[in-house]
Amino acid sequence: MNPVNYLYLAALLFTIGASGVLIRRNAIVVFMCIELMLNACNLTLVAFSRMHGNLDGQIIAFFTMVVAAAEVVVGLAIIVSLFRSRHSASVDDASLMKL
Amino acid sequence: MENLIALLVAAPLLGAAVLLCGGRRLDRAGHWIGTLFAAASFVVGVVLFVDMLGRGADDRTLHQKLFSWIPVEGFQADVAFQLDQLSMTFVLLITGVGTLIHIYSIGYMEHDERRRRFFGYLNLFLAAMLILVIADNYLLLYVGWEGVGLASYLLIGFWQHKPSAATAAKKAFLVNRVGDMGLSIAIMLMFTTFGTFAFGPAFEATGDTSEGKLTAIGLMLLLAACGKSAQVPLQSWLGDAMEGPTPVSALIHAATMVTAGVYLIVRSGAIFNAAPDAQLVVVIVGAVTLLFGAIVGCAKDDIKKALAGSTMSQIGYMILAAGLGPIGYVFAIMHLVTHGFFKAGLFLGAGSVMHGMNDEVDMRKYGGLRKFMPVTFVTFGLGYLAIIGFPGLSGFFSKDMIIEAAFAKGGTEGWILGCVTLLGAAITAFYMTRVMLLTFFGEKRWQPDAEGHEPHPHESPKSMTIPMIVLAFGSVFAGGFFSIGDRFMHWLEPVTGHDHGHAPVSATTVTAATMVVLVIGVAIAWTMYGRKPVPVVAPRGSLLTRAARRDLLQDDFNHVVLVRGGEHLTRSLVYVDHTLVDGVVNGTAASMGGLSGRLRKLQNGYARSYAVSMFGGAAVLIAATLLMRAV
């Protein structure tokens, strides 16, 4: 099996996610882009797992999903509280940690 | 017998403790307590002396170890005493003359309400000086050395309500500190060189030590001696030390303090014998001081300051003799002892004169006092004859010996030193005759003081005259007693060694020459001060006289070179500190501040920009990893 196509797709997804993180200001969108990057990684893991014919990569992909789920819980909670206090979900507005 | 040695020190130390801690309830008996403890120390000294005489010449050194002071591996310092012929001589001089001065002070300080404290300090002085001369190692000697410095400070500044006395005490202490530095450096050098402080082992080790190191130790010891014995260049404190009560001057000049330097050099003879260069410097210092003190003594109108100049000059004789090596050690100590008698006598006499003259010290306001103070006149006169070296009196023998020893040094050096000592003898005759004529002869020149009190010169009480009489006996007979059959030389020889040298001229010639210069000196003084009336206000005088009145510009020299020089040095150091050191420090701080001010802009608070850095960093890391793998 040739993983090249899967890898191209994963790279494309990762790039879209990274650009979203860097460019978009809406915290929810940024968050979604992070998920996109994580899933791009999952795709490569699964592709290599197929190529090598063992399940190690798929196991790690499950781990990633679990961690991502946990992260979504915490991250959304932060975003919600941020929105409540500032009435905005823009990441640029939350720039208090500077001199 | 060994166990008695500690008593020598313990008695005056206990006296000082009792008097200084006892408080006012001892005010009425304080002077007796002080005198008693000093006398007790003298009695112990005499007992030890008699015992020492009973033993053979090689068996006379006694040791007593009290306790281990600093017992550390490789660094052993004991509180231990050593009593040999040299120490014994000093012990008898210090306690004997010291006791007489105590007795004298009873009368002299009668009207001083702090008399008890004065006697406490006197006892402390004796104790410190005794520790100095009977210590068996340099570290304990240093304890006594500093103790003497402290006691002299307390006594010179005893009348501290007078600003001049307080300043003089400070000056004496500070100048002494310079010398003390020399001694402490010498002791450190000794420890690194010999590995011990004790006299015996250290002197044995001189044989295996390089001459350079011994010279360094010798020069440092000389610096120490210069400080305590008021030798050029550390002589400036001695004249001002006259601010203390007169018995203190007598004690400092005759029995304690200034003799310490001579003792140190003679005691360290083994080191100096092996370091001829250091010896040469010692001789030069002695010769210079001899003339310096004598010239200063000629110009002073203050009777005590004239005597102070004389002390400086006489100690110069001793230092010179000590620098001659084994030719001179014995004579240095002999002159020290006879000088102890006549200089104590002269100072006590001067004190007696001041006592009768409302504390007037200007000799131009004395005159004709011999009729009013017969006892003082006779005792002072005998001291005077002794110090100028009148034949048959103490000074004649001891000074003549030093002049002979100076000639016996041999070569050009011997001739120069011999002539300097002869010249010194002539000047001594001049200034002492001047003091004598101004004080006791001529017309009375005293006038009522500012409040209209006419001084009524009178003889001093018995407690003052008796010590003067005893000292006058010493001034007359001590020299002859020591010299007949070379008693003193045989007594000290086992400790200091003796060498006759090779005199280019016979002893008779030297004596004759001494007599000639003596007569010349007296004659000049008589022409100037005896034949014609003395003006009450000092004439302007020649350039040399004016310089000598200002102690040959010693203070001006110190002021210009040390004080001004020190100020300039500190100012330039402050400048360097401000510009260079502070410049580097402040510059570093400023550039760091500027740099961080610029770097701070990177931290803008935008999460996205941090994310860019993260991505960038990760990309660089991955690229680097791939690159490394490719290579």
Side-chain angles (χ1 to χ4, degrees):
Chain A
M1 182 217 158
N2 184 1
V4 172
N5 290 333
Y6 298 97
L7 291 182
Y8 280 138
L9 178 62
L12 188 66
L13 287 174
F14 190 89
T15 312
I16 292 167
S19 331
V21 168
L22 295 183
I23 292 165
R24 298 303 299 263
R25 289 187 194 151
N26 190 328
I28 301 287
V29 179
V30 169
F31 214 66
M32 280 166 23
C33 289
I34 290 174
E35 292 301 313
L36 203 56
M37 286 157 70
L38 282 169
N39 283 312
C41 293
N42 280 346
L43 185 58
T44 52
L45 284 168
V46 172
F48 282 120
S49 167
R50 276 291 285 190
M51 189 185 96
H52 291 299
N54 62 22
L55 295 174
D56 291 0
Q58 303 198 16
I59 301 289
I60 295 177
F62 277 116
F63 274 109
T64 314
M65 284 177 196
V66 172
V67 172
E71 184 216 319
V72 167
V73 172
V74 177
L76 280 176
I78 292 173
I79 290 167
V80 167
S81 66
L82 200 66
F83 184 78
R84 275 191 187 156
S85 65
R86 311 182 72 87
H87 301 289
S88 143
S90 166
V91 285
D92 282 5
D93 285 349
S95 63
L96 300 173
M97 294 279 279
K98 65 174 180 189
L99 283 168
Chain B
M1 269 301 155
E2 290 91 28
N3 300 332
L4 280 180
I5 300 178
L7 261 185
L8 281 174
V9 178
L13 206 56
L14 185 68
V18 167
L19 289 175
L20 295 179
C21 303
R24 290 187 176 220
R25 73 199 81 132
L26 292 179
D27 268 355
R28 300 173 81 199
H31 46 287
W32 293 114
I33 296 173
T35 313
L36 191 73
F37 278 109
S41 186
F42 178 61
V43 170
V44 175
V46 170
V47 169
L48 283 164
F49 177 63
V50 171
D51 174 66
M52 188 180 270
L53 283 180
R55 275 174 287 126
D58 299 327
D59 190 30
R60 283 180 169 166
T61 308
L62 290 180
H63 286 277
Q64 182 189 12
K65 185 179 163 184
L66 276 190
F67 55 89
S68 252
W69 179 18
I70 312 175
V72 184
E73 178 67 30
F75 183 101
Q76 295 294 330
D78 295 335
V79 174
F81 299 130
Q82 168 187 317
L83 193 69
D84 58 9
Q85 289 92 324
L86 180 60
S87 304
M88 194 71 236
T89 313
F90 271 89
V91 165
L92 289 179
L93 177 72
I94 295 163
T95 55
V97 175
T99 307
L100 289 176
I101 292 172
H102 273 75
I103 297 171
Y104 178 91
S105 308
I106 296 175
Y108 190 85
M109 301 296 281
E110 200 176 356
H111 306 297
D112 197 298
E113 53 188 31
R114 292 160 73 227
R115 181 161 65 162
R116 169 185 59 81
R117 191 185 294 244
F118 182 76
F119 275 82
Y121 293 157
L122 282 186
N123 273 356
L124 184 67
F125 209 155
L126 286 195
M129 193 64 197
L130 286 168
I131 291 176
L132 200 162
V133 297
I134 63 174
D136 95 326
N137 57 65
Y138 279 101
L139 210 58
L140 188 59
L141 182 148
Y142 191 69
V143 174
W145 191 269
E146 293 295 323
V148 168
L150 166 70
S152 66
Y153 168 78
L154 293 171
L155 283 170
I156 293 169
F158 186 72
W159 287 325
Q160 75 236 123
H161 52 84
K162 283 198 295 183
S164 57
T167 317
K170 246 188 292 182
K171 184 173 178 185
F173 196 74
L174 282 176
V175 176
N176 266 291
R177 295 304 311 168
V178 179
D180 297 347
M181 276 309 294
L183 185 56
S184 57
I185 293 172
I187 291 175
M188 292 176 210
L189 281 176
M190 275 180 211
F191 185 69
T192 53
T193 319
F194 306 138
T196 173
F197 305 116
F199 290 148
F203 297 153
E204 275 166 28
T206 50
D208 318 325
T209 315
S210 72
E211 202 187 305
K213 276 189 177 170
L214 291 176
T215 308
I217 296 175
L219 289 178
M220 284 298 127
L221 288 174
L222 174 65
L223 180 64
C226 282
K228 273 279 177 294
S229 293
Q231 300 293 295
V232 175
L234 298 179
Q235 81 290 11
S236 60
W237 64 271
L238 194 70
D240 292 336
M242 293 301 114
E243 288 293 338
T246 310
V248 175
S249 309
L251 196 59
I252 288 180
H253 287 241
T256 58
M257 190 88 181
V258 295
T259 58
V262 182
Y263 171 78
L264 185 71
I265 292 182
V266 174
R267 174 58 82 196
S268 315
I271 295 172
F272 282 99
N273 290 345
D277 292 341
Q279 268 185 331
L280 181 66
V281 182
V282 174
V283 170
I284 293 172
V285 165
V288 170
T289 313
L290 191 170
L291 294 179
F292 189 102
I295 293 170
V296 169
C298 290
K300 291 284 183 187
D301 288 329
D302 178 331
I303 184 168
K304 285 175 76 183
K305 292 203 169 162
L307 289 178
S310 145
T311 301
M312 210 187 277
S313 163
Q314 299 300 317
I315 302 281
Y317 268 108
M318 296 168 209
I319 295 278
L320 186 145
L324 293 172
I327 314 174
Y329 291 141
V330 172
F331 303 132
I333 300 299
M334 188 165 138
H335 193 52
L336 194 153
V337 176
T338 57
H339 175 257
F341 283 116
F342 54 68
K343 188 48 68 63
L346 287 171
F347 264 112
L348 297 190
S352 174
V353 169
M354 286 160 59
H355 194 74
M357 294 291 290
N358 291 350
D359 287 331
E360 176 60 61
V361 290
D362 189 350
M363 288 190 287
R364 290 184 186 276
K365 294 183 183 152
Y366 292 165
L369 289 177
R370 69 181 184 281
K371 283 173 287 207
F372 301 94
M373 306 180 176
V375 181
T376 308
F377 169 62
V378 172
T379 53
F380 195 95
L382 289 173
Y384 153 73
L385 290 177
I387 194 174
I388 65 169
F390 191 79
L393 273 68
S394 288
F396 167 73
F397 293 102
S398 52
K399 198 186 288 178
D400 205 43
M401 297 287 185
I402 292 182
I403 299 176
E404 278 174 35
F407 276 114
K409 176 79 178 167
T412 329
E413 207 186 321
W415 278 104
I416 296 173
L417 292 176
C419 292
V420 167
T421 47
L422 272 180
L423 181 61
I427 308 179
T428 308
F430 171 79
Y431 67 71
M432 284 312 297
T433 311
R434 176 174 174 268
V435 169
M436 199 67 196
L437 290 174
L438 285 180
T439 308
F440 292 104
F441 292 89
E443 292 301 305
K444 76 173 189 118
R445 292 186 298 276
W446 59 81
Q447 295 141 349
D449 61 14
E451 288 142 33
H453 298 301
E454 175 100 6
H456 298 288
H458 54 271
E459 191 52 88
S460 301
K462 283 255 170 12
S463 65
M464 289 167 71
T465 51
I466 288 171
M468 283 151 58
I469 294 168
V470 175
L471 288 168
F473 268 98
S475 321
V476 175
F477 298 113
F481 178 78
F482 291 155
S483 294
I484 294 166
D486 289 337
R487 278 202 191 107
F488 199 76
M489 197 190 293
H490 294 310
W491 159 254
L492 266 189
E493 211 177 344
V495 183
T496 59
H498 186 66
D499 175 9
H500 284 285
H502 16 261
V505 283
S506 72
T508 332
T509 322
V510 172
T511 312
T514 317
M515 284 307 107
V516 171
V517 298
L518 175 90
V519 171
I520 294 173
V522 172
I524 296 176
W526 189 78
T527 346
M528 287 174 70
Y529 299 99
R531 223 171 37 174
K532 47 192 181 193
V534 181
V536 176
V537 178
R540 194 170 141 79
S542 67
L543 198 64
L544 182 65
T545 314
R546 289 206 301 276
R549 275 190 199 132
R550 298 183 59 128
D551 300 300
L552 287 180
L553 307 179
Q554 59 185 15
D555 287 334
D556 306 75
F557 176 82
N558 284 350
H559 186 75
V560 171
V561 175
L562 299 176
V563 179
R564 289 270 176 76
E567 279 173 0
H568 282 297
L569 185 67
T570 37
R571 258 186 229 135
S572 50
L573 283 178
V574 165
Y575 179 76
V576 169
D577 184 48
H578 276 179
T579 50
L580 196 70
V581 179
D582 285 9
V584 168
V585 172
N586 291 342
T588 313
S591 57
M592 281 298 154
L595 190 65
S596 38
R598 288 193 179 87
L599 286 176
R600 189 170 69 172
K601 299 212 170 106
L602 291 177
Q603 193 180 8
N604 52 14
Y606 293 122
R608 292 180 300 131
S609 98
Y610 301 153
V612 171
S613 330
M614 257 167 71
F615 281 120
V620 167
L621 270 180
I622 289 166
T625 318
L626 289 177
L627 211 65
M628 292 305 287
R629 218 188 254 175
V631 175

